[in-house]
Amino acid sequence: MTLEPRVPLAAPLILTILVAAVAAEDKTVETLRREVATKGWVVTSIKQKRGDWDLVLMRPDGSKQRKLTDTPDWSEAAPRWSPDSRRLLYRRIKAGTVISHDRWGFQGELVMADAMARGGRVMGKHPWGCWSPDGTQISCLSVKGIEILDAATGKVKRRMKRAGYFQQLFWSPDGKWFCGTANVGGELWTIVRMDVATGKWNVVSRFRNCTPDWFPDSKQVVFSNRPANQTGYGWTQLWMAPGQGGQRKMLYGEDGRHIYGGGLSPDGRYVLFTRCPKDGGGSERAGAPGGLMRLADAPIISGNSPALRKLHPGAHDGPVLPLPDLWEPHWTFTDVTASR
Amino acid sequence: MSESTTPETTPVEAPSPTGPESGRNGSTAARWVLLTVVVVVAIAVTVATGIRSGSSRNRPDGTVEVPSGPAGIQGQVTTAGRFEVTAKLIELPGAFLPDDGLYNYAFVLKYEVLHVHRGGDHVGKVIHVAHYNPRKARSKVGDEFYPDLGGTVDRFRAGDVHRLAMEEPWDEHYIGPLVDRYHETTGKRLYWAIWSNSAGKER
């Protein structure tokens, strides 16, 4: 008896299984693409071949891209629509400046424009400028503390101590909280939530976290985290945690990629992120491949990632919708292209 | 196996001036006397130089003496910030974080103050000072975010004496990650180092 005949029989079988698996994955990604393609718009920064960054509008699936700015002498970075999606805040940074993925809020100047980035008004430095829920105020973070400005006049209406916050301060959609990255005791890179009214704060996530942002419900925070339980330098993953602290949960991880720029869809069902092969969000180079996934599919682990899969045995393989190389995307369900 | 940095040498036996030939040959004896004098003088000069060098900072009890001359006066050390001290770096509390060019941070170091040049009585005997990106030479530490930093300190070593221009409170001058391995020391005043010059080493 010989086994030889089995080999030619097995090869097509394995090939068929592989093709079927890839096709199935393609199908789930395609389903996700169709699901989000018409759910509003995403604005993001995309690096141009000439070296600067411009603001680009696209559908959440990456289609229908169009430039909102086209300024060779300036980079436009980190755009955010106002809560009513009628205006846009972004930073204007001199072209040629290397944009820091975690200190960009200190670079350049804050600009307020309409939702399509028209009629931009340079407001001044205003580090980490971020919309209040009603769009009438802007919070800023600097060595002076947390400042709340009148969006129309730029005048400081209120000043608070910044506790340990040192970057990435964002105001919650319900207006009650700030989240940001802070020094707490001897622990740097801690995500902290602060009560806007009282200044009292609590830890959301300790140890090597950054780039936090709010879920639309203002109850949970999405952030990047590079856990200690990895060999060597490790890889940064996308996590979420309750604002009051407590059990945190990995959303997306991929050995070989550092995941940054987590941004929720307005309904909190999807999350955007970037997958950078080198640490950083890609702003220091030419951006990083974007991705979009459903929260309902979390946690997702891509690539081989054997160690990560051991830690999260129940993780899914996808689907993740690939997006172009970008940095700091922001999502609205409003049709900002319509004349309003 | 690591290699020794000290080359091996074969000991050379010196001819004895009290050998059997010394009484019979006067010129040989004179040469030996001259050689002995030269050796003794050379040793004396070496020892004296060493003592003088050490005495500029070290007392007999081993403590560090305040430099009396203009040690460490270069650049903006006499003008930057409101505080200026000459101080000995007591220790390095663990390793600095990697300088990967991506993340920047400040690191808290503990000093024994030897002399207060500016800032008056408010400066304590022991101070904590936050240094930005401590792996970098101070001459290269200034950047887009903190362009006013500088100095002659190339690297931080326990026992080194620095002349420091500082500000306080630190968090009104620096906003960024802070590695503070003295965070459990309550009530400490933490300064922000603006200019850091080398002012000598502990012997």
Side-chain angles (χ1 to χ4, degrees), chain A residues 84-101:
Chain A
D84 64 3
S85 295
R86 289 183 175 275
R87 289 168 295 165
L88 189 67
L89 275 183
Y90 62 87
R91 298 202 75 80
R92 186 182 77 153
I93 300 167
K94 210 149 185 57
T97 306
V98 175
I99 300 177
S100 165
H101 81 283

Side-chain angles (χ1 to χ4, degrees), chain A residues 97-98 100-103 106-107 141-143 162 165-166 183 185-186 188-189 226 233 260 279-280 284, chain B residues 97 100 102-106 132-133 143-146 170-181 183:
Chain A
T97 306
V98 175
S100 165
H101 81 283
D102 67 340
R103 298 200 286 183
F106 294 117
Q107 295 180 286
L141 174 69
S142 71
V143 287
R162 66 180 168 93
Y165 281 132
F166 58 80
N183 295 303
L188 54 169
W189 305 109
R226 182 157 50 93
Y233 187 83
Y260 285 101
D279 195 11
E284 285 89 354
Chain B
L97 304 188
D100 56 10
L102 188 63
Y103 294 107
N104 302 272
Y105 64 98
Y132 185 58
N133 285 341
D143 63 12
E144 173 192 352
F145 301 93
Y146 298 97
W170 69 279
D171 58 355
E172 288 184 9
H173 301 275
Y174 170 71
I175 180 166
L178 181 78
V179 181
D180 182 4
R181 297 195 172 130
H183 67 93

Side-chain angles (χ1 to χ4, degrees), chain B residues 21-106:
Chain B
E21 296 292 313
S22 60
R24 293 195 295 268
N25 191 335
S27 63
T28 302
R31 280 201 297 271
W32 279 115
V33 169
L34 184 61
L35 180 64
T36 305
V37 168
V38 168
V39 168
V40 167
V41 168
I43 291 169
V45 168
T46 304
V47 169
T49 306
I51 289 170
R52 190 177 171 193
S53 168
S55 67
S56 66
R57 279 180 294 283
N58 291 348
R59 297 189 181 100
D61 63 359
T63 59
V64 179
E65 190 178 326
V66 178
S68 53
I73 296 186
Q74 291 100 10
Q76 277 78 66
V77 77
T78 60
T79 54
R82 291 176 298 136
F83 302 91
E84 182 188 346
V85 299
T86 295
K88 184 181 82 169
L89 178 56
I90 294 173
E91 61 186 357
L92 292 183
F96 298 143
L97 304 188
D99 176 21
D100 56 10
L102 188 63
Y103 294 107
N104 302 272
Y105 64 98

Side-chain angles (χ1 to χ4, degrees), chain A:
Chain A
M1 184 178 152
T2 174
L3 292 176
E4 279 175 14
R6 290 189 186 176
V7 176
L9 285 175
L13 185 66
I14 291 168
L15 194 63
T16 306
I17 292 169
L18 283 174
V19 168
V22 170
E25 188 182 332
D26 283 351
K27 196 177 175 189
T28 59
V29 172
E30 177 59 19
T31 303
L32 177 58
R33 192 194 68 73
R34 285 169 187 260
E35 194 175 306
V36 299
T38 57
K39 286 183 180 293
W41 296 90
V42 168
V43 63
T44 189
S45 299
I46 289 186
K47 185 99 177 249
Q48 305 301 307
K49 281 182 183 165
R50 64 194 178 203
D52 65 310
W53 295 77
D54 283 326
L55 299 182
V56 173
L57 187 74
M58 64 175 76
R59 286 296 198 181
D61 66 344
S63 66
K64 298 189 177 175
Q65 289 181 35
R66 65 189 270 194
K67 273 189 177 187
L68 295 186
T69 60
D70 190 3
T71 53
D73 296 334
W74 296 96
S75 287
E76 289 81 26
R80 288 205 171 216
W81 279 299
S82 56
D84 64 3
S85 295
R86 289 183 175 275
R87 289 168 295 165
L88 189 67
L89 275 183
Y90 62 87
R91 298 202 75 80
R92 186 182 77 153
I93 300 167
K94 210 149 185 57
T97 306
V98 175
I99 300 177
S100 165
H101 81 283
D102 67 340
R103 298 200 286 183
W104 54 263
F106 294 117
Q107 295 180 286
E109 299 165 303
L110 189 67
V111 178
M112 188 186 293
D114 78 1
M116 295 292 280
R118 292 172 299 215
R121 174 168 65 93
V122 178
M123 300 184 70
K125 287 196 176 297
H126 301 317
W128 299 106
C130 174
W131 294 107
S132 66
D134 63 2
T136 63
Q137 300 177 96
I138 293 167
S139 63
C140 300
L141 174 69
S142 71
V143 287
K144 296 176 194 167
I146 297 167
E147 290 180 333
I148 296 175
L149 314 177
D150 183 282
T153 65
K155 287 188 176 170
V156 178
K157 294 180 74 175
R158 187 181 166 202
R159 187 169 285 146
M160 304 168 65
K161 288 189 175 178
R162 66 180 168 93
Y165 281 132
F166 58 80
Q167 62 193 30
Q168 301 149 353
L169 187 80
F170 294 106
W171 207 333
S172 67
D174 68 3
K176 293 180 180 173
W177 311 99
F178 290 125
C179 71
T181 310
N183 295 303
V184 176
E187 195 70 74
L188 54 169
W189 305 109
T190 300
I191 303 299
V192 163
R193 180 184 74 162
M194 179 189 273
D195 186 315
V196 173
T198 66
K200 287 183 179 173
W201 56 268
N202 66 272
V203 170
V204 178
S205 180
R206 284 186 196 278
F207 192 70
R208 294 202 308 220
N209 310 276
C210 68
T211 57
D213 201 359
W214 288 100
F215 274 63
D217 66 3
S218 300
K219 290 178 179 164
Q220 302 182 89
V221 177
V222 64
F223 54 93
S224 294
N225 171 236
R226 182 157 50 93
N229 54 4
Q230 305 180 77
T231 52
Y233 187 83
W235 301 100
T236 312
Q237 302 148 7
L238 194 65
W239 287 69
M240 64 180 283
Q244 74 268 23
Q247 190 64 41
R248 56 188 194 177
K249 177 184 170 188
M250 192 185 79
L251 296 177
Y252 182 83
E254 181 180 357
D255 288 352
R257 298 280 178 168
H258 293 276
I259 313 304
Y260 285 101
L264 275 296
S265 61
D267 61 2
R269 292 179 59 209
Y270 308 91
V271 62
L272 295 163
F273 51 86
T274 52
R275 304 162 50 243
C276 202
K278 289 187 178 178
D279 195 11
S283 64
E284 285 89 354
R285 292 172 287 273
L292 182 155
M293 61 174 273
R294 292 185 201 94
L295 268 292
D297 294 330
I300 289 178
I301 296 176
S302 291
N304 287 331
S305 311
L308 193 55
R309 289 183 190 280
K310 266 190 181 176
L311 289 168
H312 304 273
H316 302 111
D317 292 329
V320 173
L321 179 62
L323 295 174
D325 286 8
L326 48 80
W327 179 64
E328 284 291 317
H330 191 236
W331 194 337
T332 179
F333 280 172
T334 304
D335 183 7
V336 290
T337 63
S339 54
R340 289 179 293 156

